[in-house]
Amino acid sequence: MHRLLLLGCLWLLAAPPVSGIFQRPTGTPAPLHLQYLLEPLHPTVHTQRGATATLPCVLRALPHNYRVKWSKVEPANYQENIIIITNGLYHKNYGPLSPRVRLRHSHRYDASLTITDVALEDEGRYRCQLVNGLEDESILLTLHLEGIVFPYQPSNGRYKFNYHEAKRACEQQDSRLATYQQLYKAWTEGLDWCNAGWILDGTVHYPIINSREPCGGRLLLPGVRSYGARDKQKDRFDAFCFTSALQGQVYFIRGHLNFKEAGQACRNHGAAIAKVGQLYSAWKFSQLDRCDGGWLADGSVRYPITTPRERCGGLPDPGVRSFGFPSKEMRTYGTYCFVGK
């Protein structure tokens, strides 16, 4: 009898998940009067890459024959992807998050979701949905990664990426395309960039602090200016990438190296030549401050400044400065290396 009951429960949980449009439109708030789910005190959970984060979902009562379903909002396609389904006794994991998620289950009313080794792509909105017969109710929570947004363009100039190329370029630099919320937050923190770039949902924007003629004119107010949704195959722009804390260290090797020698110098130390996202992360989270230009993995030369001074570019604000993409044969620079933990 117990064997049949277990098989029956697992059969219910193993029903194939459907990735589809939300039953409620994206962004619709939870019902005003939740019968079974408690409204979370803090709907936004703050974390960093590599950490363990828990999204709270607690029941006030246990209805008969209920299920709790966790899913993730995907802003690029406005779908929900199922992560885990439980009936309180048994559970089943789905999708790419499967190896890194579990139910906290600190007591029998607890259906909170724990994500281990948080990755950049875990940032976003999550739905905890209670299904009780024909009725259901849900709460929405946001997992927010502390991080930094940086503009990115390739060595052959600006406005060369279609959407898919921009997405791949960010991933190659230890980052991902930024969300609109991440870009907006970066603008409030001072990001001022005149070139338009792709973000994760397939729209194109650029953040302006100081209104000026080449960037829409002096009469336009500061803000995140938008080109809206563009053709992901045909239209070409730069990219806005997002990265978070490193699981490792970036350090500088002094020398007069060309690009090939720079890579070898890092390998001689058991490291790899640093990626652009790794340098930005070290500048943001480890306050890396060097006045020396160094090679990076994409062939660019940059240096991070946390304390601006005249002899380090002369600009008044902290930032990662760039020498662009000089000839890879030039023996002029040192190199930034990355070693993982």
Side-chain angles (χ1 to χ4, degrees), residues 51-308:
T52 295
T54 297
L55 297 167
C57 185
V58 178
L59 284 66
R60 69 175 81 237
L62 301 177
H64 294 292
N65 301 319
Y66 76 95
R67 288 187 298 164
V68 171
K69 178 176 72 175
W70 276 99
S71 54
K72 185 176 187 295
V73 178
E74 298 297 347
N77 53 23
Y78 302 103
Q79 293 183 333
E80 76 170 26
N81 290 327
I82 295 175
I83 300 170
I84 194 168
I85 298 176
T86 180
N87 64 1
L89 295 174
Y90 310 100
H91 69 273
K92 185 171 179 62
N93 293 16
Y94 298 97
L97 266 174
S98 181
R100 296 189 291 113
V101 295
R102 59 180 171 81
L103 295 169
R104 182 173 65 181
H105 207 63
S106 59
H107 52 79
R108 66 194 190 106
Y109 297 98
D110 185 12
S112 301
L113 181 73
T114 295
I115 305 173
T116 60
D117 193 19
V118 170
L120 293 176
E121 59 268 24
D122 298 340
E123 163 107 4
R125 303 183 76 192
Y126 291 76
R127 180 189 297 274
C128 178
Q129 181 179 19
L130 184 137
V131 180
N132 178 28
L134 297 178
E135 299 180 352
D136 72 276
E137 58 187 62
S138 64
I139 57 173
L140 286 171
L141 300 110
T142 298
L143 184 66
H144 172 75
L145 269 70
E146 301 294 339
I148 183 171
V149 172
F150 61 93
Y152 189 74
Q153 57 184 223
S155 59
N156 56 342
R158 73 171 195 160
Y159 293 175
K160 300 297 183 182
F161 294 135
N162 67 23
Y163 172 82
H164 306 287
E165 291 165 343
K167 185 173 183 291
R168 187 163 53 250
C170 288
E171 291 167 356
Q172 289 171 346
Q173 296 308 315
D174 193 48
S175 59
R176 69 182 301 225
L177 278 176
T179 65
Y180 181 81
Q181 290 78 10
Q182 289 166 343
L183 182 62
Y184 184 88
K185 183 174 184 290
W187 169 70
T188 66
E189 294 173 349
L191 182 60
D192 182 280
W193 195 254
C194 204
N195 294 342
W198 293 102
I199 63 172
L200 186 60
D201 64 3
T203 58
V204 174
H205 309 267
Y206 64 102
I208 293 297
I209 298 290
N210 302 306
S211 299
R212 50 202 186 273
E213 289 303 330
C215 306
R218 298 180 182 277
L219 297 180
L220 284 179
L221 293 174
V224 178
R225 297 174 184 168
S226 175
Y227 286 8
R230 310 299 291 191
D231 189 308
K232 292 183 178 180
Q233 291 288 353
K234 297 179 181 179
D235 290 328
R236 294 187 174 272
F237 298 95
D238 291 345
F240 286 106
C241 304
F242 171 83
T243 192
S244 185
L246 285 175
Q247 294 180 281
Q249 179 187 6
V250 172
Y251 62 92
F252 182 74
I253 294 179
R254 189 183 298 276
H256 296 284
L257 309 171
N258 64 28
F259 178 71
K260 184 177 180 180
E261 292 167 342
Q264 187 60 52
C266 292
R267 290 190 292 274
N268 290 344
H269 286 75
I273 190 168
K275 299 177 179 180
V276 176
Q278 291 167 342
L279 184 66
Y280 269 94
S281 180
W283 168 74
K284 171 75 173 179
F285 292 100
S286 302
Q287 289 74 54
L288 184 62
D289 183 291
R290 287 206 68 101
C291 212
D292 306 280
W295 291 104
L296 296 177
D298 66 340
S300 65
V301 172
R302 306 175 195 248
Y303 61 101
I305 295 296
T306 56
T307 304

Side-chain angles (χ1 to χ4, degrees), residues 1-23:
M1 181 65 182
H2 291 296
R3 178 182 175 88
L4 290 175
L5 177 60
L6 173 60
L7 290 174
C9 291
L10 291 175
W11 179 85
L12 285 173
L13 292 175
V18 177
S19 292
I21 303 301
F22 288 140
Q23 293 178 347

